[in-house]
Amino acid sequence: MKKKKLLMLGLVCAAAVFAAQVRGDAVGEIKRLAELMGWKAGTVVADIGAGDGKYTFAAVERVGVKGKVFATEIDGKKLGELREEVARRKLGNVVVVESKEADTNLPAGCCDAIFLRHVYHHLTKPAEFDAGLARSLKSGGRLAIIDFPPRAGLEPVEGVPSNRGGHGIPEKIVIEELKAAGLRVEKVVEHWPEDSYCVLLVKK
């Protein structure tokens, strides 16, 4: 019985350490992204496809109480959990938005900065969605696409354009599609965590 309790305690501790590492990774990645995109206190940011919100919560720490973070999500279950967590943390400057397949549902000209982390390759209607991203940026606002090239061994994503080449998306296709939406490439960071890249674009 004692051994079983020790084993359970060990598993709980390991889970806590893993959670801290995951959060630490999110905080570190957002710090790098904030520096790259020029965030400051009061910046309005959108996290597209926020999921469990760990990048949203890291972002709101960076922009402070004078800033704002929109957290969009398409999955109903994740939306509910995200809203509950925002309420639990009493974050009045985090706005949870239900996005659609072809639109962010964000207000026009609302954001200084928008980022999509491992989300872009899931878009089934990228041209329409890209138009929405551009519309939601202020003039001079920046968009960051963090994604990865197609990877072997991953299940294909249903409904996406065939030019993706598998689960993931080539960097050049990201650039081509967002340039077609009227955005200008400002910088490309080839080495990003989890073997990803980061394409930084700006609204003219």
Side-chain angles (χ1 to χ4, degrees):
M1 191 68 179
K2 188 175 180 181
K3 286 183 179 179
K4 188 175 180 181
K5 285 183 178 179
L6 287 172
L7 178 61
M8 289 299 295
L9 181 61
L11 290 172
V12 169
C13 289
V17 169
F18 176 74
Q21 287 174 339
V22 168
R23 183 180 182 279
D25 290 343
V27 170
E29 199 167 337
I30 286 295
K31 179 177 184 291
R32 185 178 179 188
L33 192 61
E35 291 169 353
L36 182 68
M37 301 182 81
W39 300 2
K40 55 185 184 297
T43 295
V44 179
V45 177
D47 176 6
I48 306 297
D52 63 9
K54 64 175 176 279
Y55 288 86
T56 294
F57 301 133
V60 81
E61 289 179 12
R62 299 292 303 182
V63 301
V65 293
K66 292 183 179 179
K68 180 187 286 187
V69 178
F70 290 96
T72 81
E73 181 54 58
I74 197 169
D75 182 270
K77 184 173 183 292
K78 289 178 181 177
L79 267 172
E81 292 171 350
L82 190 53
R83 288 189 173 116
E84 288 176 5
E85 185 62 18
V86 168
R88 188 187 71 79
R89 296 184 184 219
K90 299 179 181 179
L91 294 172
N93 57 342
V94 174
V95 180
V96 180
V97 176
E98 181 177 5
S99 63
K100 302 297 182 185
E101 181 183 12
D103 197 1
T104 63
N105 273 353
L106 291 172
C110 63
C111 292
D112 302 297
I114 298 175
F115 69 93
L116 288 74
R117 185 186 181 280
H118 294 182
V119 170
Y120 194 88
H121 70 266
H122 287 278
L123 299 182
T124 54
K125 296 185 177 179
E128 294 92 332
F129 205 90
D130 291 350
L133 290 171
R135 185 182 65 248
S136 300
L137 280 172
K138 297 176 184 178
S139 180
R142 290 183 170 93
L143 171 68
I145 304 295
I146 299 167
D147 224 306
F148 53 85
R151 292 177 180 170
L154 296 178
E155 289 292 321
V157 183
E158 291 186 13
V160 300
S162 59
N163 64 355
R164 273 41 184 164
H167 194 135
I169 184 168
E171 181 185 298
K172 67 175 184 177
I173 292 177
V174 170
I175 291 171
E176 287 170 1
E177 292 181 353
L178 287 160
K179 283 175 71 176
L183 301 177
R184 176 176 58 83
V185 177
E186 189 171 59
K187 188 174 184 178
V188 177
V189 182
E190 301 288 357
H191 302 291
W192 200 265
E194 297 182 23
D195 295 323
S196 301
Y197 56 79
C198 176
V199 179
L200 182 66
L201 305 105
V202 63
K203 184 175 180 178
K204 300 172 185 176

